[in-house]
Amino acid sequence: MITSPYDKYRQSSVQTSTPAQLVIMLYDGAIRFVRAAIDGLSKQDYEKTSLNFGKAQTVVSELMSTLDHSYEVSKNLFSLYEYTNFLLVEANIRKSPDKAEEAIGYLTELRETWLQASKIAAGQGQAESAHG
């Protein structure tokens, strides 16, 4: 049961979003989790670090599982997600903010690409994307 107004808003925004907006929300979440993990690293709070790297990996895995492989670009996206996930695992194991920052770089770049693509698609009246 959802009780807080924020949770109700979040559920409503997810239910009324386009597929492209949902992908952008996933990127936002992954970036937020990696930043929280980096914050945990800086404070030597390894429980926070591990928890947030794990959440980011879950989001990246979700992005991987929702790819529509009928698009050629999906193969490249899958490889990039796989590498990003590898960076997150390495960042967590090695307590490496550099690897985490590299992952954020990829996630941020991909987010911006999806944002631009969604604006173009909206302008053309299409919401077709590599994510199904």
Side-chain angles (χ1 to χ4, degrees):
M1 169 141 183
I2 298 175
T3 53
S4 89
Y6 176 70
D7 286 341
K8 286 180 184 173
Y9 165 77
R10 272 196 355 207
Q11 181 183 22
S12 172
S13 69
V14 166
Q15 290 171 343
T16 59
S17 295
T18 66
Q21 288 169 325
L22 291 172
V23 171
I24 292 164
M25 286 178 187
L26 286 171
Y27 286 126
D28 287 342
I31 292 164
R32 191 172 58 251
F33 293 138
V34 178
R35 286 198 173 122
I38 291 170
D39 183 60
L41 278 176
S42 71
K43 295 175 180 167
Q44 295 186 333
D45 180 346
Y46 299 125
E47 187 175 338
K48 175 181 179 180
T49 298
S50 187
L51 176 72
N52 282 286
F53 276 137
K55 287 179 178 181
Q57 287 173 254
T58 299
V59 172
V60 173
S61 294
E62 180 64 21
L63 287 164
M64 291 170 80
S65 72
T66 61
L67 282 172
D68 180 343
H69 292 282
S70 65
Y71 293 93
E72 185 65 30
V73 71
S74 296
K75 292 176 189 139
N76 295 332
L77 279 171
F78 189 88
S79 295
L80 194 50
Y81 291 150
E82 203 169 41
Y83 182 66
T84 302
N85 231 1
F86 167 78
L87 287 171
L88 295 172
V89 170
E90 287 288 298
N92 196 11
I93 291 170
R94 301 183 191 286
K95 307 300 180 233
S96 168
D98 291 344
K99 293 196 183 294
E101 290 290 351
E102 185 179 350
I104 285 177
Y106 291 125
L107 292 166
T108 301
E109 198 172 305
L110 286 164
R111 182 200 182 279
E112 290 307 309
T113 302
W114 278 99
L115 188 59
Q116 293 305 316
S118 70
K119 287 178 182 174
I120 292 167
Q124 296 173 345
Q126 299 172 347
E128 208 171 326
S129 71
H131 284 278

